[in-house]
Amino acid sequence: MSLPVQYPTASLKPRREESLQGGHLWIFSGALQQPPHWIEPGGLVDVKAANGQFVARGYYNPQTDIAIRILTRDREEAIDEVFFRDRVRRALALRQAFDPEQTSAYRLIHSEGDGLPGLIVDHYAGILVVQVHTRGMERLRSLLIDALRDETGARGILLRNDSQSRRREGLEVEEPLAVSGDVPERIIVRENGVRFLVDPWQGQKTGFFIDQRDKRAALRQYARDKRVLNCFSYTGGFSVYAALTDPGTRVTSVDVSAPALEMARENFSLNGLDPDRHEFLIADVFDYLAQARRDGSLFDVVILDPPAFARSQGARSQALKAYRRLNTLGMQVLQPGGILLTCSCSGVVHLDDLLGVLAQAAQHVQRPVQLLETCTHSLDHPINLAMPETGYLKAIFCRVG
């Protein structure tokens, strides 16, 4: 029998191991008996309870409130190439639910949800786009890339370490870099049979908002032969789905980015739609909605899918005000009986918060609102049940009287 792998140790204060035993993957700095100064930032560490019993193994960063992120609770599991291959294989098994002829864009690794905190990997028709957000995962990067290449057979792997969130971990923000194979400037992917162009090098996130796939599909039942307004439209994901429902559907896409709207037009053409039969407007959404209200413009369906208004607990109050104003404006340009789809990707804003915002907006405009559907993450964005705080996406369909 092989001996357990030895790593430096960090000890917890009494009774601080309970959440870890329940499946949580974070240890905050205040739970440690003393900061383990002898461990390099990002280095691997064994976590022990106050009585000296092994609890878990993870990586340590003294620069962040989350001091240790857990990788395994198996004392005999080394954090090596075998470990990463196993995690990648587990993730691949879940994504086999997708029919590759219908959907070739999905998240392959969803951080804590797939047991690899600090890591995002998105799959685009055989190309992988990787984001490393933490110092510990950065130190393990070469093992990770090797496992991804060998287990997936990807024809190209692009490292997108250009997120500003890396600075909180003491990491540099880097230019995108192809670390395996060839990565084209554009990729054509399928999503529920709908085709989209993805820019893996420059596009937002990793090139496309994969997490809204099922919400875009759900929109179809509401958009047939309707006038649809898609706010924060980016490259037209919701817009294309809506336009495909019926030749009589007319879509107005509003975004502040001219390049995103140009790609949205291309996505219309890619799916056999004439972009000239629809509107693509470069504008600040808040300004556009305010002007549309003054002009008396009305729509049958309004989609509000803004970027995150809050990335920390300290920004939560201001974010709720912004969501309240946005949804009030959205309701004011809806026909009686119109459909509002409102979304939030702010992790510190919960579903109950968003429902409360809707209720306040409805009271402000004095219109009844019927809740129709609520949506969160799809199967390629799994959430660790012990870590509900890592869930970030909320989407609500409602009918405004």
Side-chain angles (χ1 to χ4, degrees):
M1 180 177 176
S2 61
L3 294 173
V5 181
Q6 297 295 314
Y7 293 94
T9 62
S11 296
L12 298 172
K13 293 177 180 178
R15 295 181 299 279
R16 293 299 182 94
E17 71 275 8
E18 293 175 0
S19 65
L20 302 179
Q21 292 170 338
H24 210 285
L25 301 182
W26 293 348
I27 299 174
F28 290 90
S29 56
L32 298 174
Q33 286 193 21
Q34 62 180 14
H37 298 297
W38 57 93
I39 303 171
E40 292 184 11
L44 292 167
V45 58
D46 278 354
V47 180
K48 293 188 176 182
N51 63 5
Q53 182 180 3
F54 175 87
V55 177
R57 178 170 294 140
Y59 57 76
Y60 170 71
N61 190 350
Q63 294 184 256
T64 58
D65 290 338
I66 304 173
I68 299 174
R69 297 175 193 257
I70 300 304
L71 294 170
T72 182
R73 282 183 287 278
D74 182 350
R75 187 179 183 182
E76 296 191 18
E77 185 173 37
I79 308 304
D80 55 14
E81 185 177 351
V82 174
F83 168 85
F84 278 102
R85 284 179 177 274
D86 177 67
R87 290 297 192 275
V88 172
R89 283 195 293 266
R90 291 187 201 178
L92 281 168
L94 176 62
R95 278 71 179 183
Q96 286 177 356
F98 292 118
D99 177 356
E101 296 300 316
Q102 291 295 309
T103 296
S104 61
Y106 54 83
R107 178 148 294 176
L108 175 58
I109 304 288
H110 187 55
S111 200
E112 286 85 0
D114 285 299
L116 290 169
L119 177 66
I120 295 294
V121 181
D122 287 342
H123 172 276
Y124 296 115
I127 300 294
L128 301 182
V129 183
V130 179
Q131 291 182 319
V132 177
H133 292 290
T134 56
R135 185 179 282 271
M137 197 57 71
E138 180 73 19
R139 287 174 65 106
L140 298 164
R141 189 168 88 181
S142 61
L143 291 174
L144 162 71
I145 297 300
D146 288 346
L148 286 171
R149 182 189 62 243
D150 296 343
E151 293 297 326
T152 68
R155 55 192 176 92
I157 302 177
L158 178 68
L159 200 59
R160 280 285 302 266
N161 284 343
D162 51 356
S163 170
Q164 293 297 318
S165 66
R166 284 171 56 88
R167 298 194 188 280
R168 294 197 295 270
E169 289 275 329
L171 295 170
E172 293 294 323
V173 175
E174 304 171 350
E175 290 296 316
L177 175 68
V179 293
S180 178
D182 295 320
V183 179
E185 292 184 3
R186 288 185 167 191
I187 307 166
I188 296 177
V189 300
R190 293 180 302 278
E191 181 187 274
N192 299 317
V194 183
R195 303 173 79 198
F196 289 103
L197 285 165
V198 173
D199 178 354
W201 291 85
Q202 303 291 335
Q204 292 186 35
K205 287 194 172 182
T206 62
F208 195 59
F209 291 97
I210 297 175
D211 52 7
Q212 293 287 34
R213 178 193 314 104
D214 51 334
K215 277 67 80 176
R216 286 190 279 264
L219 175 68
R220 286 170 161 163
Q221 63 189 316
Y222 301 108
R224 191 174 305 280
D225 198 23
K226 297 292 192 296
R227 188 179 180 200
V228 178
L229 172 63
N230 183 14
C231 298
F232 309 98
S233 61
Y234 189 46
T235 58
F238 281 110
S239 300
V240 171
Y241 272 78
L244 284 170
T245 60
D246 191 273
T249 299
R250 293 292 179 268
V251 183
T252 298
S253 302
V254 181
D255 199 278
V256 74
S257 168
L261 286 175
E262 182 54 40
M263 188 174 283
R265 292 180 64 91
E266 291 183 65
N267 282 329
F268 270 63
S269 298
L270 192 62
N271 288 279
L273 298 165
D274 182 0
D276 292 335
R277 299 185 67 188
H278 304 268
E279 283 190 294
F280 301 85
L281 303 177
I282 305 168
D284 174 89
V285 165
F286 285 92
D287 292 343
Y288 172 82
L289 288 172
Q291 187 61 51
R293 181 196 60 196
R294 289 190 292 268
D295 294 342
S297 300
L298 294 174
F299 298 86
D300 302 301
V301 179
V302 172
I303 302 156
L304 304 174
D305 185 22
F309 287 159
R311 300 190 182 276
S312 66
Q313 193 65 35
R316 181 174 177 274
S317 178
Q318 284 301 114
L320 290 175
K321 291 180 182 178
Y323 284 118
R324 193 155 47 242
R325 181 180 171 221
L326 178 63
N327 282 277
T328 298
L329 288 167
M331 289 182 185
Q332 288 173 330
V333 297
L334 264 176
Q335 292 274 13
I339 299 297
L340 176 69
L341 167 57
T342 187
C343 309
S344 168
C345 60
S346 299
V348 297
V349 174
H350 303 136
L351 180 60
D352 286 346
D353 296 323
L354 192 57
L355 289 169
V357 161
L358 282 172
Q360 291 165 356
Q363 184 177 19
H364 181 81
V365 300
Q366 296 191 339
R367 296 176 67 177
V369 174
Q370 295 170 291
L371 178 63
L372 304 179
E373 298 182 61
T374 60
C375 309
T376 54
H377 301 79
S378 57
L379 70 89
D380 58 333
H381 289 69
I383 298 300
N384 182 332
L385 190 60
M387 303 182 68
E389 67 270 34
T390 60
Y392 69 93
L393 185 62
K394 290 78 54 181
I396 300 171
F397 288 88
C398 53
R399 184 170 182 256
V400 181

